[in-house]
Coordinates of all heavy atoms in Angstrom, one line a residue:
M1 N 136.4 64.7 -75.9 CA 135.9 65.3 -77.1 C 134.5 66.0 -76.9 O 133.9 65.8 -75.9 CB 135.6 64.2 -78.2 CG 136.8 63.5 -78.7 SD 137.6 64.0 -80.3 CE 137.8 65.8 -80.2
L2 N 134.2 66.8 -77.8 CA 133.0 67.6 -77.8 C 131.8 66.6 -77.6 O 131.7 65.5 -78.1 CB 132.8 68.2 -79.2 CG 131.6 68.9 -79.6 CD1 131.5 70.2 -78.8 CD2 131.6 69.1 -81.1
N3 N 130.8 67.1 -76.7 CA 129.6 66.3 -76.6 C 128.4 67.0 -77.1 O 128.5 68.2 -77.5 CB 129.4 65.8 -75.1 CG 129.2 66.9 -74.2 OD1 128.4 67.9 -74.5 ND2 129.8 66.9 -73.0
K4 N 127.2 66.3 -77.2 CA 126.1 66.9 -77.9 C 125.5 68.1 -77.1 O 125.1 69.1 -77.7 CB 125.0 65.9 -78.0 CG 124.4 65.3 -76.7 CD 123.4 64.2 -77.0 CE 122.9 63.7 -75.7 NZ 121.9 62.7 -75.9
E5 N 125.6 68.1 -75.8 CA 125.2 69.3 -75.0 C 126.0 70.5 -75.2 O 125.5 71.6 -75.3 CB 125.2 68.9 -73.5 CG 124.2 67.9 -73.1 CD 124.6 66.4 -73.3 OE1 125.8 66.2 -73.7 OE2 123.8 65.5 -73.2
Q6 N 127.3 70.3 -75.4 CA 128.2 71.4 -75.7 C 127.9 72.0 -77.1 O 127.9 73.2 -77.3 CB 129.7 71.0 -75.6 CG 130.2 70.8 -74.2 CD 131.6 70.2 -74.2 OE1 131.9 69.2 -74.8 NE2 132.5 70.9 -73.6
L7 N 127.7 71.1 -78.0 CA 127.3 71.6 -79.4 C 126.1 72.4 -79.3 O 126.0 73.5 -79.9 CB 127.2 70.4 -80.3 CG 126.7 70.7 -81.7 CD1 127.6 71.8 -82.4 CD2 126.7 69.4 -82.6
R8 N 125.0 71.9 -78.7 CA 123.8 72.6 -78.6 C 124.0 74.0 -77.9 O 123.4 75.0 -78.4 CB 122.7 71.8 -77.9 CG 122.1 70.7 -78.8 CD 120.8 70.2 -78.2 NE 120.9 69.7 -76.9 CZ 121.1 68.4 -76.6 NH1 121.0 67.5 -77.5 NH2 121.2 68.0 -75.3
A9 N 124.7 74.0 -76.8 CA 125.0 75.3 -76.1 C 125.7 76.3 -77.0 O 125.4 77.4 -77.0 CB 125.8 75.0 -74.8
A10 N 126.7 75.8 -77.7 CA 127.5 76.7 -78.6 C 126.6 77.2 -79.7 O 126.7 78.4 -80.0 CB 128.7 75.9 -79.1
R11 N 125.9 76.4 -80.3 CA 125.0 76.8 -81.4 C 124.0 77.9 -80.8 O 123.7 78.9 -81.5 CB 124.2 75.7 -82.0 CG 124.9 74.8 -83.0 CD 124.0 73.9 -83.8 NE 122.9 73.3 -83.1 CZ 121.6 73.7 -83.2 NH1 121.3 74.8 -84.0 NH2 120.6 73.1 -82.6
G12 N 123.4 77.6 -79.7 CA 122.5 78.5 -79.1 C 123.1 79.8 -78.8 O 122.5 80.9 -79.0
W13 N 124.3 79.8 -78.2 CA 125.0 81.1 -77.9 C 125.2 81.9 -79.1 O 125.1 83.1 -79.1 CB 126.3 80.8 -77.1 CG 126.9 82.1 -76.7 CD1 127.9 82.8 -77.4 CD2 126.6 82.8 -75.5 NE1 128.2 83.9 -76.7 CE2 127.5 84.0 -75.5 CE3 125.8 82.7 -74.5 CZ2 127.4 84.9 -74.5 CZ3 125.8 83.6 -73.4 CH2 126.6 84.7 -73.5
L14 N 125.7 81.2 -80.2 CA 126.0 81.9 -81.4 C 124.8 82.2 -82.3 O 124.9 82.9 -83.3 CB 127.1 81.1 -82.2 CG 128.4 81.0 -81.5 CD1 129.3 80.0 -82.2 CD2 129.1 82.3 -81.3
G15 N 123.7 81.6 -82.0 CA 122.5 81.7 -82.8 C 122.6 81.0 -84.2 O 122.1 81.5 -85.2
L16 N 123.3 79.9 -84.2 CA 123.5 79.2 -85.4 C 122.5 78.0 -85.6 O 122.2 77.3 -84.6 CB 124.9 78.6 -85.5 CG 126.1 79.6 -85.5 CD1 127.4 78.9 -85.4 CD2 126.0 80.5 -86.8
S17 N 122.1 77.7 -86.8 CA 121.3 76.5 -87.0 C 122.2 75.3 -87.2 O 123.4 75.4 -87.4 CB 120.5 76.7 -88.3 OG 121.4 76.7 -89.5
Q18 N 121.6 74.2 -87.2 CA 122.4 72.9 -87.4 C 123.0 73.0 -88.8 O 124.2 72.6 -89.0 CB 121.5 71.7 -87.3 CG 121.1 71.5 -85.8 CD 120.1 70.3 -85.7 OE1 119.3 70.0 -86.6 NE2 120.1 69.7 -84.6
N19 N 122.3 73.5 -89.8 CA 122.7 73.6 -91.1 C 124.0 74.5 -91.2 O 124.9 74.2 -91.9 CB 121.6 74.0 -92.1 CG 122.0 73.9 -93.5 OD1 122.5 72.9 -94.0 ND2 121.8 75.0 -94.3
E20 N 123.9 75.6 -90.5 CA 125.0 76.6 -90.6 C 126.3 75.9 -90.0 O 127.4 76.1 -90.5 CB 124.7 77.8 -89.8 CG 123.7 78.7 -90.6 CD 123.1 79.8 -89.7 OE1 122.9 79.7 -88.5 OE2 122.9 80.9 -90.3
V21 N 126.2 75.2 -88.9 CA 127.3 74.5 -88.3 C 127.8 73.5 -89.2 O 129.1 73.3 -89.4 CB 127.0 73.9 -86.9 CG1 128.1 73.0 -86.4 CG2 126.7 75.0 -85.9
A22 N 126.9 72.8 -89.9 CA 127.3 71.7 -90.8 C 128.2 72.3 -92.0 O 129.2 71.8 -92.3 CB 126.1 71.0 -91.4
Q23 N 127.7 73.4 -92.5 CA 128.4 74.1 -93.6 C 129.8 74.6 -93.2 O 130.8 74.4 -93.9 CB 127.6 75.3 -94.1 CG 126.4 74.8 -94.9 CD 125.5 76.0 -95.3 OE1 125.7 77.2 -95.0 NE2 124.5 75.7 -96.1
M24 N 129.8 75.2 -92.0 CA 131.1 75.8 -91.5 C 132.1 74.7 -91.2 O 133.3 74.9 -91.4 CB 130.9 76.5 -90.2 CG 130.1 77.8 -90.3 SD 129.6 78.5 -88.7 CE 130.9 77.9 -87.6
S25 N 131.7 73.5 -90.7 CA 132.6 72.4 -90.4 C 132.8 71.4 -91.5 O 133.5 70.5 -91.3 CB 132.1 71.8 -89.1 OG 130.8 71.2 -89.3
K26 N 132.0 71.6 -92.6 CA 132.1 70.6 -93.7 C 131.7 69.2 -93.3 O 132.3 68.2 -93.6 CB 133.5 70.7 -94.3 CG 133.8 72.0 -95.0 CD 135.2 72.0 -95.6 CE 135.5 73.3 -96.3 NZ 135.4 74.5 -95.7
V27 N 130.6 69.2 -92.5 CA 130.0 68.0 -91.9 C 128.6 67.9 -92.4 O 127.9 69.0 -92.5 CB 130.1 67.9 -90.4 CG1 129.3 66.8 -89.8 CG2 131.6 67.9 -89.9
A28 N 128.1 66.7 -92.7 CA 126.7 66.6 -93.1 C 125.7 67.1 -92.1 O 125.9 66.8 -90.9 CB 126.4 65.2 -93.5
T29 N 124.7 67.8 -92.5 CA 123.7 68.3 -91.5 C 123.1 67.1 -90.8 O 122.8 67.2 -89.6 CB 122.6 69.1 -92.3 OG1 123.2 70.2 -93.0 CG2 121.5 69.6 -91.3
K30 N 122.9 66.0 -91.5 CA 122.3 64.8 -90.8 C 123.2 64.3 -89.7 O 122.7 63.9 -88.7 CB 122.1 63.7 -91.9 CG 121.4 62.5 -91.3 CD 121.2 61.5 -92.4 CE 120.5 60.2 -91.8 NZ 120.2 59.2 -92.9
T31 N 124.5 64.5 -89.8 CA 125.4 64.1 -88.8 C 125.2 64.9 -87.5 O 125.2 64.4 -86.4 CB 126.9 64.2 -89.3 OG1 127.0 63.3 -90.4 CG2 127.9 63.8 -88.2
I32 N 125.1 66.2 -87.8 CA 124.8 67.2 -86.6 C 123.5 66.8 -86.0 O 123.4 66.7 -84.7 CB 124.8 68.6 -87.1 CG1 126.1 69.0 -87.9 CG2 124.5 69.6 -86.0 CD1 127.3 69.3 -87.0
K33 N 122.4 66.6 -86.7 CA 121.1 66.3 -86.2 C 121.1 65.0 -85.4 O 120.6 65.0 -84.3 CB 120.1 66.2 -87.3 CG 119.7 67.6 -87.9 CD 118.7 67.4 -89.0 CE 118.4 68.8 -89.6 NZ 117.3 68.7 -90.6
N34 N 121.7 64.0 -86.0 CA 121.8 62.7 -85.3 C 122.6 62.8 -84.0 O 122.2 62.2 -83.0 CB 122.3 61.6 -86.2 CG 121.3 61.2 -87.3 OD1 120.1 61.4 -87.1 ND2 121.9 60.6 -88.3
F35 N 123.7 63.5 -84.0 CA 124.5 63.7 -82.8 C 123.8 64.4 -81.7 O 123.7 63.9 -80.6 CB 125.8 64.4 -83.2 CG 126.8 64.6 -82.0 CD1 127.1 63.6 -81.2 CD2 127.3 65.8 -81.8 CE1 128.0 63.8 -80.1 CE2 128.2 66.1 -80.8 CZ 128.5 65.0 -79.9
E36 N 123.1 65.5 -82.1 CA 122.4 66.3 -81.1 C 121.2 65.6 -80.4 O 120.9 65.8 -79.3 CB 122.0 67.6 -81.7 CG 123.1 68.6 -81.8 CD 122.6 70.0 -82.1 OE1 121.4 70.3 -82.1 OE2 123.4 70.9 -82.3
R37 N 120.6 64.7 -81.2 CA 119.5 64.0 -80.6 C 119.9 62.6 -80.0 O 119.1 61.9 -79.5 CB 118.3 63.8 -81.6 CG 118.6 62.9 -82.8 CD 117.4 63.0 -83.7 NE 117.6 62.2 -84.9 CZ 117.4 60.9 -85.1 NH1 116.9 60.2 -84.1 NH2 117.7 60.3 -86.2
G38 N 121.2 62.3 -80.0 CA 121.7 61.1 -79.4 C 121.5 59.9 -80.2 O 121.7 58.8 -79.6
A39 N 121.3 60.0 -81.5 CA 121.1 58.8 -82.3 C 122.4 58.2 -82.8 O 122.4 57.0 -83.1 CB 120.2 59.2 -83.5
S40 N 123.4 59.0 -82.8 CA 124.8 58.5 -83.2 C 125.8 59.4 -82.6 O 125.6 60.5 -82.3 CB 124.9 58.4 -84.7 OG 124.8 59.7 -85.3
I41 N 127.0 58.8 -82.6 CA 128.2 59.6 -82.2 C 129.2 59.6 -83.4 O 129.6 58.5 -83.8 CB 128.9 59.0 -80.9 CG1 127.9 58.9 -79.8 CG2 130.2 59.7 -80.6 CD1 128.5 58.2 -78.5
P42 N 129.5 60.8 -83.9 CA 130.4 60.9 -85.0 C 131.8 60.4 -84.7 O 132.2 60.3 -83.6 CB 130.4 62.4 -85.4 CG 129.2 62.9 -84.7 CD 129.0 62.1 -83.5
Y43 N 132.5 60.2 -85.8 CA 133.9 59.8 -85.6 C 134.6 61.0 -84.9 O 134.2 62.1 -85.0 CB 134.6 59.6 -87.0 CG 134.1 58.4 -87.8 CD1 133.4 58.6 -88.9 CD2 134.4 57.1 -87.3 CE1 132.9 57.5 -89.6 CE2 133.9 56.0 -88.0 CZ 133.2 56.2 -89.2 OH 132.8 55.1 -89.9
E44 N 135.8 60.7 -84.3 CA 136.5 61.7 -83.6 C 136.9 62.8 -84.5 O 136.9 64.0 -84.1 CB 137.7 61.1 -82.9 CG 137.4 60.4 -81.6 CD 138.6 59.9 -80.8 OE1 139.6 60.6 -80.8 OE2 138.5 58.9 -80.2
R45 N 137.4 62.5 -85.7 CA 137.8 63.5 -86.6 C 136.6 64.5 -87.0 O 136.8 65.7 -87.1 CB 138.3 62.9 -87.9 CG 138.7 64.0 -88.9 CD 139.3 63.4 -90.2 NE 139.7 64.6 -91.0 CZ 139.8 64.5 -92.3 NH1 139.5 63.4 -92.9 NH2 140.1 65.6 -93.0
T46 N 135.4 63.9 -87.1 CA 134.3 64.8 -87.4 C 134.0 65.7 -86.2 O 133.7 66.9 -86.4 CB 133.0 63.9 -87.6 OG1 133.3 63.0 -88.8 CG2 131.8 64.7 -87.9
L47 N 134.1 65.2 -85.0 CA 133.9 66.0 -83.8 C 134.9 67.1 -83.7 O 134.6 68.2 -83.4 CB 133.9 65.2 -82.5 CG 132.7 64.2 -82.4 CD1 132.9 63.3 -81.2 CD2 131.4 65.0 -82.2
R48 N 136.2 66.8 -84.1 CA 137.2 67.8 -84.1 C 136.9 68.9 -85.1 O 137.1 70.1 -84.8 CB 138.6 67.2 -84.4 CG 139.3 66.5 -83.2 CD 140.7 66.2 -83.4 NE 140.9 65.4 -84.6 CZ 141.0 64.1 -84.6 NH1 140.8 63.4 -83.4 NH2 141.2 63.4 -85.7
D49 N 136.4 68.5 -86.3 CA 136.1 69.5 -87.3 C 135.0 70.4 -86.8 O 135.0 71.7 -87.0 CB 135.6 68.8 -88.6 CG 136.8 68.1 -89.3 OD1 137.9 68.3 -89.0 OD2 136.5 67.2 -90.2
I50 N 134.0 69.9 -86.2 CA 132.9 70.7 -85.6 C 133.4 71.6 -84.5 O 133.1 72.9 -84.5 CB 131.8 69.8 -85.0 CG1 131.1 69.0 -86.2 CG2 130.7 70.7 -84.3 CD1 130.2 67.9 -85.6
Q51 N 134.2 71.1 -83.6 CA 134.8 71.9 -82.5 C 135.7 73.0 -83.1 O 135.5 74.2 -82.6 CB 135.6 71.0 -81.6 CG 136.2 71.7 -80.4 CD 136.8 70.7 -79.4 OE1 136.5 69.5 -79.3 NE2 137.8 71.2 -78.7
K52 N 136.5 72.7 -84.0 CA 137.4 73.8 -84.6 C 136.6 74.9 -85.2 O 137.0 76.1 -85.1 CB 138.4 73.1 -85.6 CG 139.5 72.4 -85.0 CD 140.4 71.8 -86.0 CE 141.4 70.9 -85.4 NZ 142.3 70.3 -86.5
A53 N 135.5 74.5 -85.9 CA 134.7 75.6 -86.6 C 134.1 76.5 -85.6 O 134.1 77.7 -85.8 CB 133.6 74.9 -87.5
L54 N 133.6 76.0 -84.5 CA 133.0 76.8 -83.4 C 134.0 77.6 -82.6 O 133.8 78.7 -82.2 CB 132.1 75.9 -82.5 CG 130.9 75.3 -83.2 CD1 130.3 74.2 -82.4 CD2 129.9 76.4 -83.6
E55 N 135.2 77.0 -82.5 CA 136.3 77.7 -81.8 C 136.7 79.0 -82.5 O 137.0 80.0 -82.0 CB 137.5 76.8 -81.5 CG 137.2 75.8 -80.4 CD 138.3 74.7 -80.3 OE1 139.1 74.5 -81.2 OE2 138.3 74.1 -79.2
K56 N 136.7 78.9 -83.9 CA 137.0 80.0 -84.7 C 136.1 81.2 -84.5 O 136.4 82.3 -84.7 CB 137.0 79.6 -86.2 CG 138.2 78.8 -86.6 CD 138.2 78.5 -88.1 CE 139.4 77.6 -88.4 NZ 139.3 77.3 -89.9
L57 N 134.9 80.9 -84.0 CA 133.8 81.9 -83.7 C 133.9 82.4 -82.3 O 133.0 83.1 -81.8 CB 132.5 81.4 -84.1 CG 132.2 81.1 -85.5 CD1 130.9 80.5 -85.7 CD2 132.4 82.3 -86.4
G58 N 134.8 81.9 -81.5 CA 135.0 82.4 -80.1 C 134.5 81.4 -79.0 O 134.5 81.8 -77.8
I59 N 134.1 80.2 -79.4 CA 133.6 79.3 -78.3 C 134.9 78.5 -77.8 O 135.7 78.1 -78.6 CB 132.6 78.3 -78.9 CG1 131.4 79.0 -79.4 CG2 132.3 77.2 -77.9 CD1 130.6 79.7 -78.3
E60 N 134.9 78.5 -76.5 CA 136.0 77.7 -75.8 C 135.3 76.5 -75.1 O 134.4 76.7 -74.3 CB 136.7 78.5 -74.8 CG 137.8 77.7 -74.1 CD 138.5 78.6 -73.1 OE1 138.3 79.8 -73.0 OE2 139.3 78.0 -72.3
F61 N 135.6 75.3 -75.5 CA 135.0 74.1 -74.9 C 135.7 73.8 -73.6 O 137.0 73.8 -73.5 CB 135.0 73.0 -75.9 CG 134.1 73.3 -77.0 CD1 134.6 73.8 -78.2 CD2 132.7 73.0 -76.9 CE1 133.7 74.1 -79.2 CE2 131.9 73.3 -78.0 CZ 132.4 73.9 -79.1
V62 N 135.0 73.5 -72.5 CA 135.6 73.2 -71.2 C 135.5 71.7 -71.0 O 134.4 71.1 -71.1 CB 134.8 73.9 -70.1 CG1 135.4 73.6 -68.7 CG2 134.8 75.4 -70.4
F63 N 136.6 71.1 -70.6 CA 136.7 69.6 -70.3 C 137.3 69.4 -69.0 O 138.1 70.2 -68.5 CB 137.6 69.0 -71.4 CG 137.0 69.1 -72.8 CD1 137.5 70.2 -73.6 CD2 136.1 68.2 -73.3 CE1 137.0 70.3 -74.9 CE2 135.6 68.4 -74.6 CZ 136.0 69.4 -75.4
D64 N 136.9 68.3 -68.4 CA 137.4 67.8 -67.1 C 137.8 66.4 -67.2 O 136.9 65.5 -67.4 CB 136.4 68.1 -66.0 CG 137.0 67.7 -64.6 OD1 138.2 67.5 -64.5 OD2 136.2 67.6 -63.6
G65 N 139.1 66.0 -67.3 CA 139.5 64.7 -67.5 C 139.0 64.1 -68.8 O 138.7 62.9 -68.9
G66 N 138.9 64.9 -69.8 CA 138.5 64.5 -71.2 C 137.0 64.5 -71.4 O 136.5 64.3 -72.5
E67 N 136.2 64.8 -70.3 CA 134.8 64.8 -70.4 C 134.3 66.3 -70.6 O 134.8 67.2 -69.9 CB 134.2 64.3 -69.1 CG 132.7 64.3 -69.1 CD 132.1 63.8 -67.8 OE1 132.8 63.2 -67.0 OE2 130.9 64.0 -67.6
G68 N 133.5 66.5 -71.6 CA 133.0 67.8 -71.9 C 132.0 68.2 -70.8 O 131.1 67.5 -70.5
I69 N 132.3 69.4 -70.2 CA 131.5 69.9 -69.0 C 130.8 71.2 -69.3 O 130.0 71.7 -68.5 CB 132.2 69.9 -67.7 CG1 133.4 70.8 -67.8 CG2 132.6 68.5 -67.3 CD1 134.1 71.0 -66.4
G70 N 131.2 71.9 -70.4 CA 130.6 73.2 -70.7 C 131.3 73.9 -71.8 O 132.1 73.4 -72.5
I71 N 130.9 75.2 -71.9 CA 131.5 76.1 -72.9 C 131.8 77.4 -72.2 O 131.2 77.8 -71.2 CB 130.7 76.3 -74.1 CG1 129.4 77.1 -73.8 CG2 130.4 75.0 -74.9 CD1 128.6 77.6 -75.0
R72 N 132.7 78.2 -72.8 CA 133.0 79.6 -72.4 C 133.1 80.4 -73.7 O 133.3 79.8 -74.7 CB 134.4 79.7 -71.7 CG 134.4 79.0 -70.4 CD 135.8 79.4 -69.7 NE 136.0 78.6 -68.5 CZ 137.0 77.8 -68.2 NH1 138.0 77.7 -69.1 NH2 137.0 77.2 -67.1
I73 N 132.9 81.6 -73.5 CA 133.0 82.5 -74.7 C 134.3 83.2 -74.6 O 134.7 83.8 -73.6 CB 131.8 83.6 -74.7 CG1 130.5 82.9 -74.5 CG2 131.9 84.4 -75.9 CD1 130.2 81.7 -75.5
H74 N 135.1 83.1 -75.6 CA 136.4 83.8 -75.7 C 136.2 85.1 -76.4 O 135.8 85.2 -77.5 CB 137.4 82.9 -76.5 CG 138.7 83.6 -76.8 ND1 139.6 83.8 -75.8 CD2 139.2 84.1 -77.9 CE1 140.7 84.4 -76.3 NE2 140.4 84.6 -77.5
R75 N 136.4 86.1 -75.7 CA 136.3 87.5 -76.2 C 137.5 87.9 -77.0 O 138.7 87.7 -76.6 CB 136.1 88.5 -75.0 CG 134.8 88.3 -74.3 CD 134.6 89.4 -73.3 NE 133.3 89.2 -72.7 CZ 133.1 88.8 -71.5 NH1 134.1 88.5 -70.7 NH2 131.8 88.7 -71.0
P76 N 137.3 88.4 -78.2 CA 138.4 88.8 -79.0 C 139.4 89.8 -78.3 O 138.9 90.6 -77.5 CB 137.8 89.6 -80.2 CG 136.4 89.0 -80.2 CD 136.0 88.7 -78.8
G77 N 140.7 89.5 -78.4 CA 141.7 90.4 -77.8 C 142.1 89.9 -76.4 O 143.0 90.4 -75.8
S78 N 141.4 88.9 -75.8 CA 141.8 88.3 -74.6 C 142.2 86.9 -74.7 O 141.7 86.2 -75.6 CB 140.6 88.4 -73.5 OG 139.6 87.5 -74.0
P79 N 143.2 86.5 -74.0 CA 143.7 85.1 -74.2 C 142.7 84.1 -73.7 O 141.9 84.4 -72.8 CB 145.0 85.1 -73.3 CG 144.8 86.1 -72.3 CD 143.9 87.2 -72.9
P80 N 142.7 82.9 -74.3 CA 141.8 81.8 -73.8 C 142.1 81.5 -72.3 O 143.2 81.8 -71.9 CB 142.1 80.7 -74.7 CG 142.8 81.2 -75.9 CD 143.4 82.5 -75.4
S81 N 141.2 80.9 -71.6 CA 141.4 80.6 -70.2 C 142.6 79.6 -70.1 O 142.8 78.8 -71.0 CB 140.1 79.9 -69.7 OG 139.1 80.8 -69.7
G82 N 143.3 79.8 -69.0 CA 144.4 78.9 -68.8 C 145.7 79.4 -69.4 O 146.8 78.8 -69.2
F83 N 145.7 80.6 -70.0 CA 146.9 81.2 -70.6 C 147.3 82.4 -69.8 O 146.6 83.0 -69.2 CB 146.7 81.6 -72.0 CG 146.7 80.4 -72.9 CD1 145.5 79.7 -73.2 CD2 147.8 79.9 -73.5 CE1 145.4 78.6 -74.0 CE2 147.7 78.8 -74.4 CZ 146.5 78.2 -74.6

């Protein structure tokens, strides 16, 4: 699942605030803030909602054995990596 470093990287790349990500993913801003500072880990469904919202904007999350290791930018018109 998505980790806090990936979320921060994706937000930074896209220039989004925590509040903007919260609105897009329909997740409380407090949840985003607490996750990013390591105070809590949201439910898996919440993490999926955040991830899906950012993927719609072209972020591809990179995992190795289920562990989040980075992000890639998916350019419109090109297939995601691995396809």
Side-chain angles (χ1 to χ4, degrees):
M1 292 266 50
L2 171 75
N3 64 41
K4 63 184 181 179
E5 293 83 9
Q6 288 174 303
L7 174 54
R8 282 195 304 259
R11 278 196 323 102
W13 183 267
L14 296 169
L16 297 174
S17 69
Q18 291 174 332
N19 189 51
E20 289 170 321
V21 171
Q23 289 175 353
M24 291 172 24
S25 60
K26 297 180 175 55
V27 171
T29 302
K30 183 176 180 177
T31 300
I32 303 285
K33 289 180 180 185
N34 286 339
F35 180 48
E36 284 193 3
R37 66 183 176 89
S40 65
I41 298 174
Y43 294 112
E44 284 188 32
R45 179 175 182 209
T46 302
L47 292 174
R48 279 194 303 271
D49 291 344
I50 296 167
Q51 183 174 332
K52 285 179 185 179
L54 293 169
E55 287 173 340
K56 286 181 181 179
L57 296 177
I59 299 294
E60 181 182 349
F61 294 93
V62 181
F63 298 94
D64 183 12
E67 180 181 347
I69 60 170
I71 66 168
R72 291 186 188 125
I73 308 309
H74 175 71
R75 294 190 175 104
S78 66
S81 297
F83 286 88

